Amino acid sequence: MSAVFEKLSTPPEYTVGFTIAVIALSAKMAKADGRVTRDEVSAFRRIFIIAPEEEKQAARLFDLARTDTAGFESYARQIARMFDDRPEILTDLLEGLVYISMADGVFHPDEGVYLDEVKQIFGLSDVTYRQIKARHLPDVTDPYAVLGADPEMTDEDLRNHWRDLVRRLHPDQMMSRGVPEEAIKLAEDRLAAVNEAWDEVAKSRGI
């Protein structure tokens, strides 16, 4: 797998690299709770598009990553280096993993430990991770966490913060930056969650 990652480390291969990264890390995450469910596989297929002619290769890579003796940390570090100048891609990847982990309706504690370590290796902030979890975990319902905002912010600052999020997360804006197609699917769900959180906060504040 190391040779594959090295080959995919140049900018023209980012889209392929993003998909391979998710295959590898999803396989490692599957070992966290000891099983791979059909729901998790279906969730993967919903947000990460793989061409039919590449499905056999993807399955082979998944099994290789799942059975490889190397720990997930080595995969995560290689991915972090691959996208060291694109933290938004790492954020999308972590969100994809959280989304897949919840496909069976249960967020296993060992999955939480795994994802927290991936977050640290990726160098992502606690605020970013809380935003992701707030969008996907049913027991995390704080709209301020979804927005990544401080409850002490003024109405004006909060509105500006929300508008900035909408601009940065809009699928069209992300496409113009060359974000992989797979990540756009996450962006659409993320934007909907951000707008829903803003509506809840605005209503509670009477904005």
Side-chain angles (χ1 to χ4, degrees), residues 84-97:
D84 62 350
D85 61 340
R86 301 286 298 281
E88 67 275 12
I89 297 295
L90 297 175
T91 299
D92 291 330
L93 177 47
L94 184 64
E95 183 151 10
L97 293 173

Side-chain angles (χ1 to χ4, degrees), residues 21-35:
V22 172
I23 292 173
L25 286 185
S26 295
K28 291 296 182 181
M29 186 177 68
K31 296 182 69 175
D33 62 4
R35 62 199 181 97

Side-chain angles (χ1 to χ4, degrees), residues 29 36 59 66-67 103 110 112 122 147 152 170 178 186 189 205:
M29 186 177 68
V36 182
R66 183 167 56 86
T67 59
D110 289 341
F122 282 0
L147 295 169
E152 299 301 317
H170 196 283
L186 287 177
D189 291 341
R205 290 185 172 217

Side-chain angles (χ1 to χ4, degrees), residues 80 94 113-124 126 129:
L94 184 64
V113 172
Y114 169 87
L115 290 167
D116 187 64
E117 292 188 39
V118 171
K119 179 265 296 183
Q120 293 184 51
I121 292 172
F122 282 0
L124 300 176
D126 291 338
Y129 189 34

Side-chain angles (χ1 to χ4, degrees), residues 175-186:
M175 289 178 68
S176 71
R177 298 202 310 266
V179 172
E181 180 181 351
E182 298 92 331
I184 300 301
K185 296 181 182 297
L186 287 177

